[in-house]
Amino acid sequence: MAKPQSPEATTILTPTARLARSEKRRLAETQVAEGAQAWRAPQVVSFSAWLGRLRDQALMAGAIDRVPISVSQARMLWQQVIDTDVFVGEPRVHALAEKAWRTIHEYRLQHPRDWAKPLLSEDCRQFRDWVARFEQLCDERGVIDEWRFAAELPTLIAGHRLALPERIELNGFELPPTPLQTAIFEALESAGVQVGGLDQPPSDAPPDPPALTLHEYTEPDDELRAAATWARAHVEIDPDRALAIVVPDLAGRLARVERIFRQVFDPPGFALAEAGTEAWHVSLGLPLAQWSLVADALLLLRLNPTRIDQPTAGRVLGSPYLVGTAAEAERRANTVANLMHWSPFEITGFELMAACKKAGATQIGDRLEAWRRLRADHYGNNRCNDRNAAWPSAWIERFQKELETLGFGRGRALDSREFQVLARWHELLEEFGALDAVLGAPVKRGVALSLLVERADNTAFRERDPGCPVEILGVEEALGSRFDALWITTLDADTWPGAARRDPLIPGPVQAEVPAASGDGKLRRARLELTGLARAADAVLGSFSTGSDDQQRRCSQLLPEPETTDPPAPTFPVPIELERINDDIHAPLLSATEIRGGTGVLSDQSACPFRAFAHRRLGARELAPPRPGLDAAARGSLIHAALEIFWDGLRNHAALIALSPEDLEQRISTAAEHALGHFTEAHRLLLSPAGRRLELKCTRRTLARWLELERARGEFRVRAREQKILMEFAGLKLEGKIDRIDETPAGTVLIDYKTGRAGRNGWRPEPRIVDPQLPAYALAMDPRPAALAFARIRPDELKFEGLCETDAGIPGVAELAAAKGAWKESEDWNALLGEWQKKLNALAISFQEGRAEVDPRDDQVCRHCHLHALCRIQERERSAIRPVGMAREQALAMGGSNALEDMPPGQRPRGESQ
């Protein structure tokens, strides 16, 4: 009887790393079930990891005279080779070259240098040259990549150059091994190693098609939702069952799969519950750069102390991974709000630091100050600075120093998933530092950072399965595994067997034996995959979707005349009844009689009482991030300032007429330059030199066109500019500023500069005053003015518009008695002033009492308030702050409870229900 092999003498190989972890767990569970408390575990590794161990062993044993390099290092060599050529089209050609190089070695195809010239396309000839330069670079630097080593491995094994186990057991190899694997296994057997688990070579006869219970759906999402509902039903009955859902195109549908499974396993009705452990796990992951921890680290490394845009500043201050996050959360939020309100689109690092300290966020402010000093050292004599080039290992040291200075990683405590992300991030930094061995010369900071970002984008990451009962897998991950029940999706003819795809860099005849390159090979592989999946569980279900009318899909012909069954009806959780509280609709009376905001208080109260209460009494404000350059409000202020400067020392219409064209042009230029200089002196990054020249040109042209209208007016005298005025309505004291007051033969004229849409119809007292600014100014003056006018200064429209008691000599300012349209019923000026007084007093009273001016059922008022409230509630939903007192059906109607479903898991707020 043969002596059993000891665990140390046996190595178990699996086709994937996931299957290796699963096999380790199964072996451990078996030992525990047998009552063992300690045991020697056999080595269980994936085939690729085993090759990596052999590479290290070959180097240490002297079996090879070149240093093995990693996948990342090999990719760097390919980039150096390919980036020297101009390739029009695919921007990531090195990825195609790597794939073709792997295919050549996996299937032991003819080496590119031996390809017959008549077979070569332009792409194939280019790839052949790249391979020659790649091998030359490897030889010059004394390195060997994983695939050239794998090609030499059978010879090393057969020559007994490596230490090998007594037995190798193959586990989970459902598909025939590749020619490279076959050569390695044959070499192992020739070296005396027992190789178990190798099936007999498949016969030419195709395997029997698996018998499946099929469900037919219309859309792919319906199919996924049904599979998720099936899995949830099984978990609720027996949470210890091992279930799997196979999605062949998982990589392309990852976001949709995660969203649908969150909808089914965590419906909106339970969104208020505390987040628990997910019952499902997806085998494929997002790029490492998309996980919030790594995304924030890369964001901090890309910060430029001399130029930071506001969205970036907001992300920096909102990062939960920076020191002092919990203690300074509110103060950092206030910093972001202040920057949005007062600062331009781009600010400097010093301005960001000063804004933080001004808002009381001293911890992040001090860190930013230290970071600025560190980055300033980059321009000194440091060996690793922004101007000089350095090796990747030196840049990694520098990058880590910058992150440490900013307090990165010292914010809130990390959860298990984030610890795994952090560990993978550190591994990526080590891999990047190892590029010293393959780079031909040091690189500058920008190049080093772009290479690091590129590797983070190309590195997929998924946290390890903690033992979830439901696994969502691709075909390769599912093959070789065992489950209690399995659901295979997308069993349509387009996916099984799918179209053949030849490698564009390898000649067709050379890759004839590659399964994916021919229809017959694709068909054979698809049949073997289906057969292997059918063996993965005792209960196997399948499904496919037919698609819309114009894109009909059929069930795969690889299945034996399936009899489709009606899909099970979806089940939805019963909504719970939430408590409804009839809260007081009125706010507390306003105790203060003076309030900031001028006539904007009355404008807000007229448009929306909720807005007035939120803005003026609660201090809330809408945060609109600035855009590059000057926005509409800033351009309006620029025109205001320029006109004020222009009229300084120019008192009347006669003086304007007396200016010569040269003097007028000079006065306009001086006013525009001084006004624009006032804007840019506070924030030097507000405008680029080209942008400043453009704004200056536009301002000069606008002023010149407007002053032509002023010259066409009748006689007037500028009595005051930017005149402060105090107002009081029903005890509410307000303060304003009149842009300009003119004296004309007809009386006093109040002029308000407007660069937006504004008209005299906004002064109508019925049903409410939309724009109460000038009426309020008129009521506060003694004696009362004889005319009110908007000076509408827009590039597409320059004109006066207003009302007067008698003709004021201003084109566009109509006499009240002669005004048409909405004003035909208002003929008396004093009566109109009285109506304004009554309406503004009513607005002031309603504002102080915290209620609407009219009946809440009035659509013209209450619909604004209602929509504003819904907008705020929806914003809170999207910020994961759920309103407890809001009716559930109202939340569902707004779609708020699913607002986070499209976010990658690494970017969701911590603790948010999945």
Side-chain angles (χ1 to χ4, degrees):
M1 184 175 181
K3 181 180 178 181
Q5 299 287 337
S6 65
E8 300 91 336
T10 301
T11 296
I12 300 176
L13 298 183
T14 63
T16 64
R18 179 206 158 273
L19 192 55
R21 293 192 297 269
S22 178
E23 180 64 12
K24 286 180 182 179
R25 184 168 60 248
R26 186 192 68 80
L27 293 174
E29 290 172 351
T30 301
Q31 294 288 346
V32 172
E34 294 176 356
Q37 295 182 349
W39 60 89
R40 292 184 179 274
Q43 290 190 13
V44 183
V45 294
S46 65
F47 184 78
S48 60
W50 181 67
L51 291 183
R53 293 184 181 184
L54 292 182
R55 285 199 304 272
D56 296 339
Q57 184 189 137
L59 177 65
M60 299 302 295
I64 55 177
D65 56 358
R66 289 165 291 174
V67 178
I69 57 176
S70 65
V71 175
S72 178
Q73 291 171 314
R75 181 175 299 121
M76 188 71 253
L77 286 177
W78 281 112
Q79 286 181 265
Q80 292 178 66
V81 166
I82 295 173
D83 288 348
T84 59
D85 296 327
V86 177
F87 191 93
V88 179
E90 173 61 48
R92 296 175 59 185
V93 187
H94 62 84
L96 294 176
E98 287 183 83
K99 181 176 178 294
W101 186 241
R102 171 176 179 166
T103 300
I104 289 171
H105 289 86
E106 276 193 318
Y107 292 93
R108 309 195 85 182
L109 304 181
Q110 191 178 35
H111 194 280
R113 63 171 170 267
D114 300 325
W115 290 347
K117 290 184 178 181
L119 300 178
L120 302 184
S121 65
E122 182 62 32
D123 292 340
C124 295
R125 280 193 293 270
Q126 187 68 70
F127 177 66
R128 182 190 59 184
D129 296 340
W130 289 338
V131 168
R133 293 212 298 268
F134 175 79
E135 292 182 324
Q136 181 182 358
L137 273 180
C138 289
D139 294 340
E140 289 175 356
R141 292 167 192 178
V143 297
I144 183 172
D145 71 295
E146 61 172 336
W147 295 112
R148 292 180 76 188
F149 172 80
E152 297 179 8
L153 188 56
T155 303
L156 296 176
I157 292 175
H160 300 278
R161 304 286 302 277
L162 301 173
L164 302 170
E166 296 179 11
R167 177 177 176 81
I168 288 180
E169 187 70 31
L170 303 181
N171 187 315
F173 285 81
E174 294 284 349
L175 300 177
T178 64
L180 175 62
Q181 290 174 331
T182 300
I184 292 175
F185 295 150
E186 290 175 352
L188 288 170
E189 290 179 330
S190 67
V193 178
Q194 301 178 29
V195 181
L198 271 177
D199 297 332
Q200 295 296 325
S203 62
D204 294 336
D208 295 333
L212 304 176
T213 301
L214 281 180
H215 298 304
E216 179 181 326
Y217 300 91
T218 303
E219 297 296 335
D221 282 5
D222 299 333
E223 183 184 4
L224 289 174
R225 192 170 288 107
T229 304
W230 166 83
R232 173 171 175 160
H234 278 272
V235 171
E236 289 176 345
I237 296 173
D238 184 4
D240 293 330
R241 296 195 73 190
L243 308 174
I245 297 173
V246 178
V247 183
D249 52 345
L250 181 58
R253 302 172 63 188
L254 185 59
R256 298 295 301 167
V257 168
E258 291 192 333
R259 173 171 182 166
I260 289 172
F261 271 76
R262 279 197 299 274
Q263 286 177 336
V264 173
F265 278 83
D266 185 26
F270 303 100
L272 299 180
E274 293 184 2
T277 304
E278 293 174 343
W280 51 274
H281 180 267
V282 185
S283 63
L284 293 185
L286 299 167
L288 188 62
Q290 293 185 19
W291 291 85
S292 60
L293 187 145
V294 177
D296 284 3
L298 294 174
L299 176 73
L300 296 175
L301 293 177
R302 285 194 292 254
L303 281 183
N304 184 350
T306 62
R307 189 180 296 271
I308 303 173
D309 61 71
Q310 288 233 28
T312 298
R315 285 185 58 192
V316 169
L317 296 182
S319 174
Y321 308 108
L322 293 178
V323 65
T325 296
E328 294 185 347
E330 183 175 352
R331 281 166 279 180
R332 294 182 188 184
N334 289 335
T335 303
V336 175
N338 293 335
L339 288 173
M340 286 186 179
H341 192 67
W342 299 110
S343 300
F345 180 74
E346 290 183 322
I347 59 177
T348 64
F350 175 81
E351 291 170 336
L352 178 59
M353 177 269 295
C356 291
K357 291 188 175 183
K358 184 178 180 180
T362 55
Q363 289 192 59
I364 187 63
D366 292 339
R367 293 284 181 167
L368 286 169
E369 186 175 11
W371 168 77
R372 287 181 60 248
R373 290 196 300 267
L374 179 65
R375 288 299 302 271
D377 183 48
H378 284 197
Y379 295 92
N381 296 322
N382 190 285
R383 65 183 178 86
C384 180
N385 57 54
D386 286 359
R387 292 179 175 176
N388 296 334
W391 295 103
S393 57
W395 282 120
I396 290 301
E397 181 182 352
R398 192 67 176 186
F399 291 160
Q400 290 178 322
K401 180 64 176 177
E402 291 178 14
L403 294 176
E404 180 184 354
T405 302
L406 286 167
F408 182 75
R410 298 186 181 182
R412 64 164 173 79
L414 303 182
D415 58 24
S416 174
R417 174 184 292 171
E418 289 170 332
F419 269 117
Q420 295 181 52
V421 174
L422 181 62
R424 186 65 187 92
W425 166 247
H426 287 160
E427 291 175 4
L428 182 68
L429 294 180
E430 292 180 5
E431 294 171 5
F432 184 77
L435 295 182
D436 291 1
V438 294
L439 274 178
V443 295
K444 293 188 176 182
R445 179 190 178 90
V447 176
L449 192 53
S450 64
L451 289 174
L452 180 61
V453 172
E454 180 184 351
R455 273 147 182 76
D457 283 331
N458 294 332
T459 301
F461 172 80
R462 172 66 66 181
E463 75 279 6
R464 291 189 176 182
D465 182 5
C468 299
V470 180
E471 294 189 64
I472 306 166
L473 311 164
V475 174
E476 292 185 3
E477 291 84 7
L479 287 173
S481 301
R482 287 294 302 171
F483 306 98
D484 295 319
L486 178 76
W487 183 307
I488 309 173
T489 68
T490 327
L491 287 172
D492 55 74
D494 294 340
T495 306
W496 300 88
R501 297 183 183 276
R502 289 186 175 183
D503 194 304
L505 301 182
I506 304 175
V510 175
Q511 57 180 316
E513 299 303 319
V514 178
S518 65
D520 291 340
K522 193 77 173 176
L523 180 62
R524 286 194 300 270
R525 184 180 179 91
R527 284 172 172 161
L528 291 171
E529 288 175 343
L530 282 175
T531 303
L533 291 175
R535 289 198 296 261
D538 295 331
V540 181
L541 289 79
S543 62
F544 70 99
S545 60
T546 59
S548 56
D549 294 336
D550 56 342
Q551 292 183 345
Q552 284 288 332
R553 288 186 292 270
R554 297 177 294 104
C555 178
S556 173
Q557 297 179 352
L558 301 181
L559 300 175
E561 297 182 2
E563 295 183 3
T564 59
T565 61
D566 294 332
T571 59
F572 301 97
V574 179
I576 61 174
E577 290 292 331
L578 298 182
E579 180 183 4
R580 297 174 180 268
I581 301 176
N582 263 332
D583 202 359
D584 183 10
I585 62 172
H586 297 298
L589 290 175
L590 181 66
S591 57
T593 58
E594 295 184 10
I595 190 166
R596 299 178 59 185
T599 57
V601 174
L602 303 178
S603 299
D604 284 348
Q605 183 68 19
S606 175
C608 173
F610 175 83
R611 186 197 308 173
F613 182 80
H615 287 187
R616 310 298 174 176
R617 296 184 60 176
L618 298 182
R621 63 187 182 211
E622 298 184 23
L623 298 179
R627 65 179 187 178
L630 298 181
D631 57 17
R635 286 196 175 93
S637 300
L638 176 62
I639 294 295
H640 276 62
L643 285 172
E644 182 185 4
I645 296 171
F646 178 87
W647 287 107
D648 186 20
L650 198 67
R651 305 303 299 172
N652 53 40
H653 179 259
L656 176 64
I657 295 296
L659 289 175
S660 66
E662 295 77 11
D663 292 340
L664 178 62
E665 183 179 356
Q666 179 60 40
R667 197 175 186 89
I668 289 174
S669 297
T670 301
E673 289 175 358
H674 279 73
L676 190 57
H678 173 73
F679 271 79
T680 55
E681 67 182 6
H683 301 286
R684 63 183 181 86
L685 298 182
L686 178 62
L687 292 171
S688 65
R692 192 182 191 281
R693 290 192 297 269
L694 182 61
E695 290 291 348
L696 187 60
K697 180 179 178 180
C698 292
T699 304
R700 288 171 179 166
R701 182 176 58 188
T702 301
L703 290 182
R705 292 174 60 198
W706 174 252
L707 290 171
E708 287 298 320
L709 293 179
E710 295 272 21
R711 291 165 64 93
R713 287 177 55 186
E715 181 184 349
F716 67 87
R717 178 177 63 86
V718 180
R719 190 180 97 185
R721 294 171 288 109
E722 301 295 325
Q723 177 69 50
K724 290 186 178 180
I725 186 171
L726 298 178
M727 299 162 283
E728 184 172 347
F729 298 98
L732 182 66
K733 297 179 181 180
L734 303 172
E735 184 177 317
K737 185 181 293 185
I738 305 174
D739 290 342
R740 195 168 117 198
I741 303 175
D742 283 4
E743 293 294 341
T744 68
T748 302
V749 180
L750 302 188
I751 298 178
D752 187 51
Y753 298 130
K754 291 292 184 184
T755 54
R757 301 286 181 185
R760 63 191 175 204
N761 286 340
W763 301 336
R764 292 176 55 202
E766 295 294 343
R768 56 194 175 89
I769 301 180
V770 176
D771 189 351
Q773 182 181 16
L774 280 180
Y777 291 166
L779 294 172
M781 291 189 67
D782 187 20
R784 300 288 174 82
L788 308 179
F790 284 131
R792 192 179 301 165
I793 309 174
R794 297 171 51 85
D796 58 341
E797 185 181 36
L798 290 93
K799 69 176 184 178
F800 284 101
E801 183 177 352
L803 293 172
C804 59
E805 185 176 8
T806 59
D807 185 12
I810 306 176
V813 178
E815 292 186 56
L816 179 62
K820 299 179 180 180
W823 300 97
K824 62 183 179 181
E825 298 180 359
S826 303
E827 297 183 356
D828 184 75
W829 183 257
N830 290 325
L832 178 61
L833 293 174
E835 285 293 319
W836 283 344
Q837 184 75 59
K838 184 168 62 174
K839 286 294 182 180
L840 296 183
N841 284 341
L843 283 174
I845 292 173
S846 63
F847 172 74
Q848 294 176 87
E849 294 180 353
R851 61 176 176 82
E853 175 197 359
V854 295
D855 192 305
R857 290 169 295 181
D858 184 349
D859 286 343
Q860 289 185 319
V861 173
C862 206
R863 71 183 179 89
H864 297 278
C865 178
H866 177 64
L867 289 178
H868 221 71
L870 286 184
C871 180
R872 291 297 172 271
I873 292 172
Q874 193 170 19
E875 285 180 2
R876 288 191 297 170
E877 281 287 302
R878 294 187 184 279
S879 300
I881 305 175
R882 305 191 181 278
V884 178
M886 186 178 63
R888 177 181 182 275
E889 52 268 28
Q890 186 180 12
L892 293 178
M894 293 187 300
S897 48
N898 291 331
L900 299 174
E901 291 177 351
D902 287 325
M903 296 179 65
Q907 296 181 2
R908 298 183 203 124
R910 185 171 180 262
E912 174 61 24
S913 176
Q914 300 297 321

